[in-house]
Amino acid sequence: MKTKFSNAAALLGLIFVFALPLHAQEIKYDTTYRPARYKELVTKFKADRRSKKDIVFLGNSITAGTDWGKLLNLPEAKNRGISGDITFGVLERLDDVIYGKPSKIFILIGINDISRNIPDSIILRNYKTMISRIRKGAKRTEIFFYTLLPVNSSFGKFKNHYGKDEHILWLNEQIRMLEAGKVKVIDLYPKFLDPNNHLMENLTKDGLHLNEEGYQVWAGILKNGGYLK
């Protein structure tokens, strides 16, 4: 009896020892982070003339990295990308976009949240909040949500963004489920994927951001998909 009790106690002790660190682990993340140029760019955006014909491209550096007007031959294009931005930053400046009641809003955001360990469930909640606020404040605005692009760790430049493919995949699955009514999902992810499930080397300059060829692929998706009509 004593032996059985001892064995049981030892087993419970092992479970406790292995379980405790997992239970005690707490992933820290900061929702208040804003890039260095955030305030400057938000002020610049606010000063820009608005029109209900505007087509707004909203996001982080991947959106900021091209001139959408020239790329798409689209005079109505407004680039509202801020390098390093996260979903909380987009929510903070979203009212200014909504105020203009643009024709269309294209949104790509979330990879920097993942790099900063913001939980997937919170990123998804922020996506839904964006949609809800746009629907409420700009009822005629068409909303387009992109799936997140893959990354390529072989470049070794953005280590906080690497090794987190499961987060990208989960969020993309959830983004695809957002399509309903005035929300259209544009599935970029598979268009930029190589056979090893990485961002194609010929479409990126550093494993995270796109090069000119990458933006041309993106432009083709928008034009051929009829999203700009």
Side-chain angles (χ1 to χ4, degrees):
M1 186 72 178
K2 186 176 180 181
T3 303
K4 288 182 180 179
F5 177 80
S6 299
N7 289 341
L11 181 59
L12 286 171
L14 284 171
I15 292 171
F16 180 76
V17 166
F18 284 106
L20 183 59
L22 293 175
H23 178 73
Q25 270 185 341
E26 187 176 332
I27 298 174
K28 294 182 179 180
Y29 57 93
D30 180 11
T31 64
T32 66
Y33 167 80
R34 300 293 178 270
R37 296 190 64 206
Y38 183 88
K39 289 183 179 179
E40 172 195 340
L41 289 171
V42 169
T43 300
K44 178 183 175 182
F45 296 157
K46 285 183 177 180
D48 197 10
R49 180 178 166 273
R50 298 180 185 86
S51 165
K52 291 183 180 180
K53 294 181 180 179
D54 288 346
I55 297 176
V56 175
F57 293 84
L58 184 60
N60 51 40
S61 58
I62 301 173
T63 294
T66 191
D67 183 328
W68 292 99
K70 289 182 179 178
L71 180 68
L72 300 170
N73 191 25
L74 196 67
E76 302 86 5
K78 299 285 186 179
N79 193 328
R80 295 296 180 260
I82 295 181
S83 181
D85 208 3
I86 60 176
T87 56
F88 287 92
V90 168
L91 284 171
E92 187 175 313
R93 59 191 175 96
L94 186 60
D95 282 348
D96 185 57
V97 175
I98 293 171
Y99 179 77
K101 294 180 169 50
S103 171
K104 303 174 188 288
I105 299 176
F106 291 84
I107 303 172
L108 175 62
I109 194 71
I111 192 63
N112 294 324
D113 298 63
I114 291 173
S115 77
R116 292 181 169 277
N117 297 318
I118 295 173
D120 298 344
S121 59
I122 292 179
I123 301 171
L124 178 60
R125 182 198 68 189
N126 287 351
Y127 290 160
K128 291 179 178 179
T129 301
M130 290 174 204
I131 292 169
S132 175
R133 284 172 55 185
I134 296 169
R135 278 175 169 167
K136 184 177 179 180
K139 292 180 172 60
R140 295 186 179 182
T141 298
E142 287 185 86
I143 306 166
F144 298 86
F145 237 96
Y146 297 111
T147 52
L148 301 176
L149 292 169
V151 297
N152 191 323
S153 61
S154 68
F155 288 79
K157 190 171 181 180
F158 296 94
K159 294 182 180 179
N160 288 338
H161 293 75
Y162 302 152
K164 299 178 179 180
D165 291 354
E166 71 275 14
H167 299 283
I168 295 174
L169 291 172
W170 187 86
L171 281 168
N172 281 347
E173 183 180 345
Q174 299 303 311
I175 289 170
R176 293 181 188 110
M177 294 169 65
L178 295 175
E179 182 152 9
K182 288 179 66 179
V183 180
K184 295 181 177 68
V185 173
I186 303 175
D187 199 358
L188 291 182
Y189 183 84
K191 308 293 186 183
F192 289 83
L193 204 61
D194 71 12
N196 296 313
N197 295 322
H198 299 144
L199 177 59
M200 293 182 191
E201 282 192 19
N202 63 310
L203 301 182
T204 180
K205 57 186 179 181
D206 54 21
L208 179 65
H209 302 97
L210 300 180
N211 57 22
E212 186 176 346
E213 189 176 350
Y215 283 112
Q216 288 296 333
V217 171
W218 193 340
I221 293 168
L222 294 179
K223 291 175 181 176
N224 297 333
Y227 299 112
L228 303 174
K229 294 179 181 178

